[in-house]
Amino acid sequence: MIDAIRDFLLAHGDLGLVAWTLAKIIVIVLPITIGVAFFTLFERKVIGWMHVRQGPQYIGGFLGIGVIQAFADVFKMLFKELVIPANASPLLFRLAPLLALAPAFAAWAVIPFDEGVVLADVDAGLLVLLALTSMGVYGIIVGGWASNSKYAILGSLRSAAQVVSYEIAMGFALVGVLVAAGTMNLTQIVHAQQGSLGIGEWFMWPLFPLFIIYFISGVAETNRAPFDVAEGESEIVAGFHVEYSGSAFAIFFLAEYANMMLVSLLTSILFMGGWLSPFPPSWGFLGEPGWWWLALKFAFFAFCFVWFRASFPRYRYDQIMRLGWKIFIPITIAWIFVTAIMAYNNWFTVGA
């Protein structure tokens, strides 16, 4: 059915190609938006379980888990008034949430969800991801400055410094993956982790320090606890979005959770074999690759985001900077050399 629709649209020249591309974009964007709503419900229920309480359960109490609660929150924010402070810059104040949201959604264009299921299977996929994910901080900086609030500007400056610190560590971790796979194409990176040993071929084992650093840096990049000093409720009220309300706040919220989902998915693809099965092919059905394996790995890392928030106190700002510059970056640089040696000795499926 899908192939027939694609062939029909592509037979109509450039207009059909545009229609087919828009259809694929909608198929990606809608599940992300709905997934954010369910992610918030998942987060509240898991944190409630960890705190020995119920969490949402009354609004749409299907199976006693409050399914409609997340959507009720979305509608509430969308219909609330957007209050613009008197001394704020109106244009930049409205533009900032979109500057944060656009890169968060655009990065999904190069993400492969299964064999051949990708919007843009570009050869420089890793480079595109680094470029797009680095741009999200501009929305935070612009929003903090345009709010004309000391708390907002402090939060945006903290976020900018944090992103600069941990973006370097994430970039070096990706260099290790590039050396091991011999390509920047995300689909081929997954293929490079395919072998007869199942889980034993995944990059998370030879690149274990880079795997840990990449995921923790991803938590810091998304300003999530225990690295949420950009919001810092106990210090600077709510940080860069202290003056935001209504739909603008909802867009910031959507961008943050879309980035969390993106980091969880990328960690699964780059280090845990993506849609590949953890079992050898000789195990029959369990050894077959499929999108469900990627979904399970994604769910694990999404759970880790919530687990960290429920378990760790917020780090001091100087501790976060020291962790990024004095610990993560030296380790990643050292392990890049180790990875190069392993690739030179053909430790990997593709290698150098």
Side-chain angles (χ1 to χ4, degrees):
M1 180 66 180
I2 296 177
D3 293 338
I5 295 174
R6 180 193 60 197
D7 295 340
F8 173 77
L9 291 175
L10 295 181
H12 288 75
D14 293 339
L15 186 61
L17 177 61
V18 171
W20 175 243
T21 304
L22 288 175
K24 290 193 290 184
I25 291 174
I26 293 173
V27 168
I28 293 175
V29 169
L30 281 182
I32 295 173
T33 307
I34 297 173
V36 166
F38 280 104
F39 199 162
T40 59
L41 176 65
F42 172 74
E43 179 178 25
R44 295 160 103 177
K45 296 298 289 188
V46 170
I47 291 179
W49 170 63
M50 291 184 172
H51 291 172
V52 197
R53 54 184 174 82
Q54 290 295 324
Q57 56 181 322
Y58 297 113
I59 307 299
F62 175 68
L63 298 179
I65 59 175
V67 172
I68 310 299
Q69 181 66 60
F71 297 96
D73 293 338
V74 170
F75 286 119
K76 180 193 74 172
M77 286 190 289
L78 289 178
F79 288 104
K80 285 182 69 174
E81 180 184 4
L82 173 58
V83 179
I84 300 178
N87 296 321
S89 173
L91 175 62
L92 294 179
F93 190 84
R94 292 186 175 94
L95 184 62
L98 298 178
L99 291 177
L101 181 67
F105 273 52
W108 289 79
V110 297
I111 300 297
F113 300 96
D114 200 346
E115 187 66 46
V117 184
V118 57
L119 177 60
D121 192 19
V122 297
D123 290 334
L126 280 182
L127 193 60
V128 172
L129 281 172
L130 277 175
L132 290 174
T133 54
S134 301
M135 292 177 62
V137 71
Y138 289 109
I140 295 175
I141 295 173
V142 171
W145 184 86
S147 299
N148 197 25
S149 166
K150 58 184 178 183
Y151 297 119
I153 193 65
L154 281 174
S156 63
L157 291 176
R158 283 184 174 190
S159 180
Q162 188 168 311
V163 166
V164 168
S165 302
Y166 286 88
E167 190 74 27
I168 299 173
M170 291 185 75
F172 283 157
L174 293 182
V175 170
V177 174
L178 170 61
V179 171
T183 178
M184 288 194 291
N185 183 284
L186 294 176
T187 301
Q188 294 178 18
I189 287 175
V190 174
H191 291 164
Q193 300 174 70
Q194 190 169 14
S196 59
L197 301 179
I199 191 173
E201 302 284 350
W202 295 352
F203 286 159
M204 64 176 291
W205 302 118
L207 309 182
F208 190 76
L210 302 183
F211 161 64
I212 296 296
I213 288 173
Y214 181 83
F215 184 64
I216 296 177
S217 298
V219 176
E221 282 271 297
T222 52
N223 296 318
R224 290 286 299 180
F227 302 98
D228 58 337
V229 293
E231 300 175 13
E233 291 87 351
S234 60
E235 303 168 10
I236 51 177
V237 188
F240 62 92
H241 56 61
V242 64
E243 302 291 348
Y244 280 90
S245 61
S247 58
F249 176 79
I251 293 175
F252 268 128
F253 192 81
L254 179 62
E256 177 181 328
Y257 277 77
N259 280 322
M260 291 165 55
M261 295 166 63
L262 180 66
V263 170
S264 301
L265 206 61
L266 281 175
T267 309
S268 306
I269 290 172
L270 297 174
F271 294 96
M272 294 186 67
W275 57 84
L276 300 180
S277 169
F279 306 107
S282 58
W283 284 44
F285 174 76
L286 289 177
E288 294 182 3
W291 61 268
W292 50 88
W293 291 117
L294 181 59
L296 288 174
K297 298 166 189 176
F298 162 79
F300 169 74
F301 288 112
F303 171 77
C304 288
F305 270 95
V306 181
W307 189 9
F308 294 162
R309 177 182 175 185
S311 303
F312 294 101
R314 182 183 300 117
Y315 289 143
R316 287 200 321 265
Y317 187 67
D318 63 304
Q319 293 175 326
I320 291 178
M321 292 294 103
R322 183 170 63 248
L323 178 66
W325 287 101
K326 294 186 176 181
I327 299 177
F328 279 4
I329 292 177
I331 291 176
T332 53
I333 292 174
W335 209 258
I336 287 174
F337 285 101
V338 174
T339 307
I341 294 172
M342 289 189 289
Y344 181 78
N345 289 281
N346 296 320
W347 280 34
F348 304 105
T349 305
V350 177

